[in-house]
Amino acid sequence: MLQQGRIRASYRTDLVTVLLGTWFSLGLFLDAWAHSNVPELETFFTPWHAVFYSGFAATAAWILWQVWRNLQDGRRGLAAVPQGYGPAVVALPVFAVCGFGDYLWHTFIGIEQGIDILFSPTHLGLITSMIVILTTPLRTAWAEGGSPSFARFLPAALALSFATALVLLFVQYADATVYGAEGVVRAFSFEKGQGGSGGANRLAASIVVTNVVLLTPLLLAVRRFRVPVGTATLLQVVVMLLSTAVANYENLEIAAAFVVSGVVADVLLWKLRPSEERLREYRVFAAVVPLVMWVLYFAVAGVSAGRMPSVTEMWTGAPVVAALHGLLLAVVFVPARRS
């Protein structure tokens, strides 16, 4: 029997996959907003769930259609599944089972409206399988690597951005992007003799977590691709569009600071051309991007609130800590130059 090789999905196929994934993702964020802001939410059958699950149905139908079409062309087994689409084919039934489980959970246990939404087992199953499905175009691109143009890389970049936004959504209790300017200033303003407060500890921990979540996708992508300029800005725009919705549009000035930091990261991508081979530039990129991001964060918060946080060590030291964490990530991802 002739061995059949795997085929690569076309650019158009990947683009449709990521556009349907956009519908799917927006449905989830609408549902997350409703859980946080609609106190009378008492049923599984809501308009937000309708958007979410219809987005899943459309995405699933499209991916399965690709496999069916290849079967009709005579391909069998894995040869009928395009490169990068295999994990999504496995994740589709997992998502469907978790969705039914979520219906039973809401019916018999209740509707979550606080931090418990982020720990519900059915929600964790949904988000995990959803990320596997959404990152399909990224896996397609990963198989090739190289130096794609921005247009060519767009499906992969959008997939990377949505996956980042979903991860940040599920660590919402440690998400520094949802703070408003007053919240940032208030958290880092305390009497030094009292050693800080729960608010200061929470913001400090949130900066660490958010920094890792936002920086990791870029550092991984830079290892595999000559990432096209515009990718970092796109990532920040997608993440901020979704985080502002979850925060009920109360963090717009902070969101703008993150988008500007994305533009700076793109300039650094262009100037430094970081990669595994250009290790020094890779590490400089990993340290400077978070430093700029959090300097802008505190600068915008201070300007918007009309004052800086009262404890100078906190707002001057937090960006340095973030830069050191970025450098550490770079050292872990690429310990040494490839010989």
Side-chain angles (χ1 to χ4, degrees):
M1 182 178 175
L2 185 65
Q3 186 74 28
Q4 294 177 314
R6 301 286 295 278
I7 59 171
R8 188 202 188 284
S10 68
Y11 176 79
R12 174 180 166 278
T13 299
D14 280 344
L15 191 58
V16 173
T17 302
V18 81
L19 290 177
L20 292 173
T22 304
W23 172 3
F24 192 13
S25 300
L26 290 178
L28 177 64
F29 278 89
L30 279 172
D31 188 47
W33 174 86
H35 275 278
S36 302
N37 296 287
V38 182
E40 66 274 14
L41 193 67
E42 294 176 347
T43 175
F44 181 84
F45 298 99
T46 64
W48 308 285
H49 269 178
V51 177
F52 179 43
Y53 283 104
S54 62
F56 164 69
T59 307
W62 172 252
I63 291 174
L64 293 177
W65 166 251
Q66 301 310 311
V67 178
W68 172 252
R69 199 169 55 175
N70 291 332
L71 286 170
Q72 293 297 97
D73 288 342
R75 293 184 168 275
R76 293 293 179 266
L78 281 177
V81 183
Q83 276 185 335
Y85 280 65
V89 171
V90 174
L92 291 175
V94 173
F95 184 92
V97 168
C98 290
F100 182 67
D102 197 43
Y103 164 71
L104 295 177
W105 189 280
H106 287 330
T107 301
F108 295 107
I109 296 181
I111 306 288
E112 303 87 357
Q113 291 182 320
I115 194 172
D116 47 347
I117 190 175
L118 305 173
F119 289 88
S120 161
T122 53
H123 287 172
L124 295 175
L126 288 170
I127 192 74
T128 303
S129 52
M130 185 176 178
I131 287 175
V132 173
I133 296 167
L134 289 175
T135 48
T136 298
L138 178 63
R139 287 191 295 275
T140 302
W142 196 274
E144 289 190 345
S147 306
S149 65
F150 182 74
R152 184 72 185 174
F153 195 63
L154 184 59
L158 283 171
L160 190 70
S161 302
F162 283 123
T164 305
L166 293 182
V167 171
L168 203 53
L169 174 68
F170 265 70
V171 293
Q172 208 177 119
Y173 42 84
D175 180 2
T177 72
V178 298
Y179 279 72
E182 278 292 342
V184 172
V185 171
R186 197 165 47 245
F188 278 178
S189 297
F190 53 85
E191 292 294 329
K192 286 189 176 182
Q194 296 177 359
S197 65
N201 294 340
R202 185 185 169 199
L203 179 56
S206 297
I207 289 172
V208 172
V209 172
T210 306
N211 188 52
V212 171
V213 172
L214 291 177
L215 195 57
T216 297
L218 273 180
L219 293 182
L220 284 174
V222 166
R223 281 190 61 191
R224 181 62 180 151
F225 307 99
R226 173 78 186 277
V227 175
V229 173
T231 301
T233 304
L234 178 68
L235 186 145
Q236 294 287 24
V237 167
V238 170
V239 172
M240 292 309 129
L241 278 175
L242 299 175
S243 80
T244 51
V246 173
N248 216 15
Y249 304 103
E250 293 175 354
N251 63 334
L252 290 175
E253 66 278 22
I254 295 296
F258 280 103
V259 172
V260 173
S261 75
V263 175
V264 174
D266 274 322
V267 172
L268 291 171
L269 277 175
W270 172 59
K271 293 290 288 183
L272 296 174
R273 294 181 286 117
S275 68
E276 283 189 274
E277 290 71 28
R278 295 169 61 83
L279 190 55
R280 184 180 59 185
E281 288 81 0
Y282 182 76
R283 291 176 177 171
V284 169
F285 177 80
V288 173
V289 168
L291 180 68
V292 171
M293 183 160 60
W294 297 104
V295 164
L296 286 170
Y297 180 82
F298 286 108
V300 168
V303 170
S304 299
R307 66 191 192 287
M308 296 303 288
S310 67
V311 182
T312 307
E313 291 88 340
M314 298 303 294
W315 61 268
T316 56
V320 177
V321 171
L324 292 173
H325 287 163
L327 182 59
L328 180 61
L329 280 176
V331 171
V332 171
F333 289 162
V334 188
R337 186 176 284 107
R338 190 180 297 174
S339 58

